[in-house]
């Protein structure tokens, strides 16, 4: 066990050094996001294989340790993985060590019933991993786990892959767009004309009933 802990601490130290080095780089290009959707998909595939391997089903969990920002272009794939984990009753625990909160991980932990933690001091990262995330699902009901202040439920548009606050939703396939389109690029449904904000007052008046 001591060798296992020392190996884990060494890997965490290497992870923090790489993350700190990446954050201090003053390059013009933006920091690339991690392939969160692929990681969740691989974890869920492995869990399903364990489920089907024998009659005894364990209580699986997924722990996401992320330091890079979210990639809005992965929104659809990440949400599909989150809903798949929810259906399989697999909690997704999230530990985010980046500068800002991760909307993807917040939604993943909220939807699946996991724990989302953004450590204020990275010196105590190992304590968070051993006391919060290493606790089994049965024991979590007896301890007070940290709760996030809020969850960022903003979505990413399907046209430009950017995070938006308000947008247009296809009534057929629920695709999200930041601007009005004549046709849905996902399912091909034809949209109606968007109503103009400068409507005349005569159109807003109700016609008086005839006497």
């Amino acid at each position: 066990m001591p060798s296992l802990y020392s190996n884990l601490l060494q890997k965490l130290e290497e992870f923090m050094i790489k993350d700190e080095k990446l954050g201090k780089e003053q390059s013009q290009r933006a920091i690339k996001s991690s392939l969160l959707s692929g990681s969740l998909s691989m974890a869920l595939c492995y869990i399903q294989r364990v489920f089907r391997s024998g009659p005894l089903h364990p209580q699986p969990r997924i722990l996401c340790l992320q330091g890079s920002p979210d990639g809005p272009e992965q929104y659809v794939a990440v949400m599909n993985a989150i809903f798949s984990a929810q259906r399989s009753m697999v909690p997704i625990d999230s530990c985010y060590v980046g500068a800002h909160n991760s909307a993807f991980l917040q939604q993943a932990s909220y939807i699946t019933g996991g724990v989302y933690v953004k450590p204020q001091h990275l010196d105590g990262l190992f304590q968070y991993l051993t006391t919060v995330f290493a606790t089994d699902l049965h024991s979590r009901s007896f301890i007070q786990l940290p709760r996030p202040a809020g969850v960022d439920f903003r979505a990413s548009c399907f046209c430009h892959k950017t995070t938006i606050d308000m947008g247009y939703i296809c009534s057929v396939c629920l695709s999200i767009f930041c601007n009005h389109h004549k046709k849905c690029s996902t399912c091909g449904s034809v949209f109606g004309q968007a109503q103009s904000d400068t409507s005349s007052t005569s159109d807003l008046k109700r016609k008086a009933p005839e006497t």
Side-chain angles (χ1 to χ4, degrees), residues 17-26 31:
I17 292 175
K18 291 181 180 179
D19 181 73
E20 185 178 0
K21 182 180 179 181
L22 186 62
K24 291 182 179 180
E25 290 181 353
Q26 300 296 332
I31 299 176

Side-chain angles (χ1 to χ4, degrees), residues 83-202:
F83 291 132
S84 178
Q86 181 191 30
R87 185 171 183 178
S88 302
M89 301 180 66
V90 178
I92 299 179
D93 297 332
S94 306
C95 182
Y96 189 72
V97 295
H100 304 284
N101 285 308
S102 171
F104 286 169
L105 295 183
Q106 283 183 340
Q107 296 182 33
S109 299
Y110 179 82
I111 294 174
T112 60
V115 180
Y116 175 86
V117 174
K118 185 180 183 301
Q120 299 295 331
H121 304 284
L122 298 182
D123 296 338
L125 181 60
F126 182 73
Q127 282 76 8
Y128 279 103
L129 295 176
T130 54
T131 57
V132 177
F133 299 109
T135 308
D136 60 275
L137 299 179
H138 177 71
S139 301
R140 287 186 177 183
S141 58
F142 301 100
I143 61 177
Q144 186 175 1
L145 298 174
R147 296 182 179 180
V151 181
D152 188 359
F153 288 106
R154 290 183 300 171
S156 299
C157 65
F158 286 32
C159 46
H160 299 94
K161 310 299 181 183
T162 56
T163 304
I164 58 176
D165 296 324
M166 298 182 63
Y168 298 87
I169 301 179
C170 176
S171 59
V172 178
C173 65
L174 301 181
S175 297
I176 304 173
F177 304 96
C178 57
N179 297 319
H180 181 266
H181 296 269
K182 296 181 179 180
K183 186 177 181 180
C184 178
S185 59
T186 304
C187 65
S189 300
V190 180
F191 299 147
Q193 295 293 332
Q195 294 182 356
S196 176
D197 295 336
T198 58
S199 300
S200 59
T201 56
S202 60

Side-chain angles (χ1 to χ4, degrees), residues 6 27 30 43 54 56 61 64 74 115 125 129 133 143 148-149 155 170 206 211:
S6 61
S27 58
L56 297 179
R61 290 172 292 170
C64 296
Q74 304 181 45
V115 180
L125 181 60
L129 295 176
F133 299 109
I143 61 177
C170 176
R206 181 180 298 177
T211 55

